[in-house]
Amino acid sequence: MAFFTHQVCRGLSSSAVRAAAIKHVTIIGGGQMGAGIAQVAASTGHTVTLVDTSDDILKKAVKGIEGSLKRVVKKKFADKPEAGEEFIQKVLQNVSVSTDAGAAAQSSDLVLEAIVENLKIKQDLFGRLDKLAPTHTIFASNTSSLPISDIASSTNRLDRFGGLHFFNPVPMMKLVEVIGTSATSQETFDSLLNFSKALGKTPVSCKDTPGFIVNRLLVPYVLEAIRLHERGHGSKEDIDIAMKLGAGYPMGPFELSDYVGLDTMKFIMDGWNEKDPDNPLFAPSEMLNKLVAEGKYGKKTGEGFYKYK
């Protein structure tokens, strides 16, 4: 994938050099996604600084990483417990924590954001870090629905800004969507591709279009399943079974919605509908809106389309 840039003349040879230089990664956001990315990066020999707003959040994140690593060790080092414990300690040594994003960014080759899906908050974060991070530092967002170009607009490094969309749970999911805007340099894009490969992931190239590839296909599919049920053309149970047995999907659309979070599904669809209100694929769902209004977000609240209590 080629992107227009004043730096394209540097060519692919320098891209490989830049990719190799991504050793120190700052991950902002100690939630499930940020901690998962931190674990994978630390496991592949990268020096990681995990940043969040409080020490309590960071302690919980590190504890979660350690617990996840123990589950990995049970499988990979079943017959070598000492080697497994050594692996855990080595990975944890690659992770440091901080509540100061600006200080962390000053020594980073890559700053990756995995915080709340709020455009202004993301813009404010990167706008501030843009003044503090070294010139060579690449910025990236793990957003699943917001345009990368809109987030990048708060900085003066449009050529060194892209998207790295990981999937949950990060240690298990192999895919990474690598997103480039019209301003992302080829050098930056190749660096993000190579970094993803260095993590042991399989990257796919995406343009900065709503939902990129996976969510652009997945979210309208889920919403159409909900509309099918709203019209009385199938029960949620039968629709889920049909897609699992007929299409070979591991989860049906209603099970998947509950797993992802109905509030997340609504947030994504509302954003797309606002930008393209005439697109029937992005039309809101009365049933989804009602469940979210009632606080029934899915598994994380104990009830969504199904009950989990």
Side-chain angles (χ1 to χ4, degrees):
M1 181 184 294
F3 299 101
F4 296 106
T5 174
H6 66 279
Q7 292 190 347
V8 73
C9 59
R10 295 185 183 182
L12 296 180
S13 60
S14 62
S15 299
V17 173
R18 176 60 55 84
I22 296 181
K23 297 298 183 182
H24 190 167
V25 184
T26 292
I27 299 168
I28 302 177
Q32 191 171 20
M33 290 302 296
I37 299 168
Q39 176 186 329
V40 171
S43 298
T44 50
H46 296 84
T47 302
V48 178
T49 302
L50 184 61
V51 178
D52 213 304
T53 55
S54 76
D55 290 329
D56 287 343
I57 294 174
L58 291 168
K59 286 177 183 177
K60 182 179 179 181
V62 172
K63 186 176 180 180
I65 291 172
E66 186 173 5
S68 179
L69 288 170
K70 287 179 179 178
R71 291 190 291 274
V72 171
V73 162
K74 280 185 179 180
K75 294 181 179 179
K76 296 184 73 173
F77 298 90
D79 300 326
K80 299 177 181 179
E82 291 183 1
E85 182 60 30
E86 182 180 347
F87 170 75
I88 291 174
Q89 294 307 314
K90 185 176 180 180
V91 173
L92 291 177
Q93 286 173 7
N94 287 336
V95 180
S96 61
V97 297
S98 176
T99 56
D100 189 338
Q106 290 177 31
S107 59
S108 293
D109 303 310
L110 171 66
V111 175
L112 174 61
E113 162 275 313
I115 61 174
V116 62
E117 284 285 81
N118 181 293
L119 179 60
K120 187 178 186 308
I121 292 175
K122 292 179 189 291
Q123 288 176 330
D124 289 347
L125 171 69
F126 280 120
R128 179 165 58 89
L129 297 183
D130 189 42
K131 300 177 178 66
L132 301 171
T135 303
H136 79 276
T137 304
I138 295 172
F139 285 179
S141 174
N142 182 58
T143 181
S144 61
S145 63
L146 298 173
I148 300 297
S149 56
D150 286 357
I151 302 172
S153 66
S154 63
T155 75
N156 291 313
R157 61 182 76 210
L158 302 184
D159 61 319
R160 283 157 287 141
F161 206 118
L164 283 174
H165 182 215
F166 290 80
F167 291 80
N168 189 33
V170 179
M172 301 294 294
M173 299 293 281
K174 298 291 290 183
L175 181 66
V176 177
E177 291 180 319
V178 181
I179 304 100
T181 73
S182 60
T184 306
S185 72
Q186 188 68 50
E187 182 179 10
T188 295
F189 191 78
D190 288 341
S191 294
L192 294 175
L193 279 174
N194 290 332
F195 172 70
S196 302
K197 292 175 184 177
L199 299 184
K201 302 299 184 183
T202 300
V204 293
S205 302
C206 309
K207 289 190 176 181
D208 191 20
T209 187
F212 315 131
I213 294 176
V214 174
N215 282 336
R216 180 62 179 81
L217 297 173
L218 190 62
V219 175
Y221 148 73
V222 169
L223 264 292
E224 184 56 25
I226 297 172
R227 295 185 192 106
L228 188 70
H229 179 47
E230 285 178 321
R231 294 193 296 267
H233 294 167
S235 70
K236 57 182 181 290
E237 292 84 2
D238 282 347
I239 293 170
D240 276 349
I241 290 171
M243 294 311 296
K244 286 190 287 186
L245 299 185
Y249 291 2
M251 285 188 281
F254 293 94
E255 293 171 318
L256 179 61
S257 295
D258 280 354
Y259 178 79
V260 172
L262 304 191
D263 54 333
T264 301
M265 299 295 294
K266 173 176 164 54
F267 175 84
I268 293 172
M269 190 56 73
D270 284 352
W272 294 356
N273 178 252
E274 183 179 347
K275 284 185 173 291
D276 190 4
D278 296 327
N279 191 331
L281 290 176
F282 301 159
S285 159
E286 184 178 336
M287 181 179 292
L288 178 63
N289 289 345
K290 182 175 184 294
L291 288 170
V292 172
E294 293 171 350
K296 298 174 181 177
Y297 297 164
K299 278 195 168 184
K300 60 187 174 184
T301 60
E303 183 176 355
F305 286 109
Y306 298 109
K307 291 185 178 181
Y308 299 92
K309 294 178 181 179

